[in-house]
Amino acid sequence: MTDAAALPGQPRGGVLSGPATPRAVNVLAPNASAMTLDGTNTWIVSEPDSDLAVVIDPGPLDDGHLRAVVDTAERAGKRVALTLLTHGHPDHAEGAARFAALTGTKVRALDPALRLGDEGLAAGNVITVGGLELRVVPTPGHTADSLCFHLPADRAVLTGDTVLGRGTTVVAHPDGRLGDYLDSLRRLRSLTVDDGVHTVLPGHGPVLEDAQGVVEFYLAHRAHRLAQVETAVEDGYGTPAQVVARVYADVDRSLWPAAELSVRAQLEYLREHGLIQGPA
């Protein structure tokens, strides 16, 4: 068995659902898959002595899960006062409208199409509910509308799909862009260096205890993959599918369609930077 402390980000062992930090509780959605890992993490965040809570990523349209989130908050003596979205993928956001109806809350997101209410989310926003403070961190790349939420009081960051608790994320071309994603990872690294963030509360997988370590791993992994893709193109592998078969040969073939999205984003990045030639 591999020591968790030796893995990227030092993933926390044990059950995923339940308290993760003094202010964050996870309710795991029952939508496990190769792409969603153990399922979507729906986060309830609040000040310990407050009766108001914020829910981040209600998850899929699963009434049992959505009611379990409400019940978990209510058992802790809290009322859900606001719903936030890290991005619009269905495993994070499809249940948001139903959840808003259950709780009577507004839904705030970067993408106007996902909002319920007049307020969106933007870089630099500071959200305060019941004494809780969340800072909006723009992290496009996985998708154009991806955001993270910095929770200063717990020295934590809620990362959605930008950083996962296990494995690495897909840059979902064409909506996702690798250059943006690399900039977002560097932005998260700055949080670990300048703001003391050490805990990652991801959208999937276990809590990570070493935020800086996992971000550095992600950056190194992306650099390695880019070099592999560039070499594959130089060796005559001309299509995204051919590059996947060469570069991702050690990856479960069921994940190759997602890997092809990442390869398309990598090819676009390499062309933009003049490292390879040819049409998109």
Side-chain angles (χ1 to χ4, degrees), residues 217-252:
F217 170 79
Y218 266 51
L219 285 165
H221 170 78
R222 287 294 169 186
H224 178 63
R225 283 297 195 209
L226 272 171
Q228 288 180 307
V229 170
E230 184 178 359
T231 298
V233 172
E234 290 171 351
D235 289 346
Y237 293 82
T239 69
Q242 290 172 337
V243 172
V244 168
R246 168 70 179 272
V247 173
Y248 291 81
D250 59 340
V251 173
D252 187 327

Side-chain angles (χ1 to χ4, degrees), residues 140-144 170-181 261 264-265 268:
H142 170 67
T143 61
V170 173
V171 177
H173 180 85
D175 184 41
R177 292 175 55 84
L178 183 56
D180 291 342
Y181 185 67
L261 295 177
R264 289 181 181 275
E268 179 183 62

